[in-house]
Amino acid sequence: MNVPYISKWETGTDYAIDVCLDFVNERIRIDDYRGNLNSLFTKMEELAKQHLFTKLIVKARGEDWRYFLTKGFTLEGTIAGYFNGSDAFLVVKYFTNERRTSTSWQAEDLFLEKISLLATSEQLKEIPDDYSIRLAKITDCKALAKLYGEVFAGYPTPMNDENYIKKVIEGNTIFMIVEWNKQIVSATSVEINEANHNAEVTDCATLVDHRKYGFIQHLITGLEQQLVQRNIYCSYSLARAPIYGMNAILQKLGYLYSGRLTNNCMMNGNYENMNIWVKKLV
């Protein structure tokens, strides 16, 4: 497959689904839907079998998530306010025992307990004078791709491809960056869902030599301000469950842990669990 994923609305005679075919992570993600639940469920399973995917995720509405449980789904988390202020329930179905099973779950629970003890604080570290923060422009795509290529050996999306970054910037994604000596040394993005007024904080990266200043907290805070200006008040993020850094940052910034997605993303050649963190911005 020459594309990492295909995102589109798929329609039938009595249903419509906003579906993402994720070939990198071998899964289908349904971000929105309407119509006959039986019909759309049948279509989801057809797509999963057609592409040999091993996981199906649906962001279900409050009135619907129990229906999916009757079809063999499991509730793995929630995103408060996802659907224009109403909650989304992340229900998941697996098609292999291997994809369903995580051997790191208990260790990640203990890890999360330690992170939960960190105090929420609005006090950020001061940024040295030789660094500057700004919103990224379309002309930054090449430099952003270089940053992500250096930070991540393996990543669920091709962030080391400047053409891919250009595509998402021209869509509904905003990047904020930190520059030093005319070089991008840290970046974070928010992917905006305009129809449902929510945004996902993602693509957080800082070069190793510049990590002591807490840039990601500054960048997320700045992006949150951009979201509020756009009347978007639901911000959420998926953080790698075994990694301390991002989970700790989100805890400190007032995000609430809201569940864990099993074997959700391919990182460095292996599937990892992802913690769900959610924040109401106003």
Side-chain angles (χ1 to χ4, degrees), residues 17-270:
I17 50 176
D18 182 6
V19 58
C20 176
L21 304 177
D22 186 341
F23 298 97
V24 174
N25 299 297
E26 298 179 315
R27 66 185 182 183
I28 292 176
R29 192 185 73 238
I30 305 299
D31 291 326
D32 202 354
Y33 61 90
R34 59 181 180 270
N36 186 291
L37 293 180
N38 288 317
S39 298
L40 65 89
F41 169 71
T42 299
K43 182 61 179 181
M44 285 185 254
E45 285 215 315
E46 287 178 359
L47 289 171
K49 292 176 182 178
Q50 176 185 344
H51 298 289
L52 302 178
F53 289 156
T54 55
K55 182 170 185 174
L56 171 57
I57 308 172
V58 180
K59 293 171 181 167
R61 287 178 168 79
E63 63 269 27
D64 298 329
W65 69 271
R66 292 176 181 83
Y67 163 85
F68 290 100
L69 297 190
T70 71
K71 297 296 183 179
F73 285 73
T74 301
L75 177 64
E76 291 195 336
T78 61
I79 301 177
Y82 180 90
F83 289 114
N84 289 307
S86 297
D87 298 350
F89 295 77
L90 277 66
V91 289
V92 182
K93 186 170 185 177
Y94 297 89
F95 297 98
T96 66
N97 286 329
E98 182 181 20
R99 187 69 185 263
R100 178 66 181 89
T101 305
S102 171
T103 59
S104 59
W105 199 270
Q106 185 176 14
E108 290 168 0
D109 275 349
L110 295 173
F111 185 63
L112 191 63
E113 287 180 15
K114 295 179 181 179
I115 291 173
S116 68
L117 299 176
L118 297 172
T120 299
S121 175
E122 297 181 358
Q123 187 67 36
L124 303 180
K125 291 183 180 179
E126 289 192 15
I127 296 178
D129 292 339
D130 51 345
Y131 291 88
S132 60
I133 294 181
R134 64 172 174 84
L135 290 173
K137 300 176 290 188
I138 202 72
T139 52
D140 295 313
C141 293
K142 184 175 182 179
L144 281 167
K146 182 176 184 294
L147 169 72
Y148 288 113
E150 291 182 21
V151 173
F152 299 117
Y155 200 63
T157 53
M159 294 301 295
N160 59 344
D161 182 347
E162 63 178 290
N163 292 321
Y164 175 80
I165 294 176
K166 182 175 184 291
K167 179 181 177 181
V168 298
I169 289 179
E170 289 175 340
N172 292 320
T173 299
I174 303 171
F175 285 81
M176 187 164 278
I177 61 174
V178 176
E179 285 185 307
W180 172 79
N181 197 25
K182 298 182 179 181
Q183 175 190 9
I184 297 177
V185 298
S186 185
T188 297
S189 75
V190 285
E191 183 178 343
I192 297 173
N193 181 324
E194 292 183 338
N196 288 307
H197 292 86
N198 64 66
E200 179 181 2
V201 176
T202 186
D203 304 325
C204 302
T206 304
L207 294 177
V208 174
D209 293 341
H210 302 269
R211 290 181 181 172
K212 59 185 176 181
Y213 300 115
F215 290 141
I216 298 298
Q217 293 185 62
H218 284 276
L219 293 174
I220 293 176
T221 299
L223 288 168
E224 288 174 351
Q225 294 169 357
Q226 293 291 318
L227 294 176
V228 171
Q229 290 176 16
R230 291 166 169 76
N231 298 317
I232 294 172
Y233 310 124
C234 168
S235 178
Y236 71 97
S237 188
L238 303 182
R240 298 168 65 186
I243 305 299
Y244 179 84
M246 274 308 302
N247 288 283
I249 287 171
L250 293 166
Q251 166 73 20
K252 291 178 181 178
L253 289 176
Y255 285 73
L256 299 178
Y257 171 75
S258 301
R260 190 177 313 151
L261 297 171
T262 304
N263 291 327
N264 197 58
C265 292
M266 183 68 69
M267 301 295 299
N268 302 322
N270 296 296

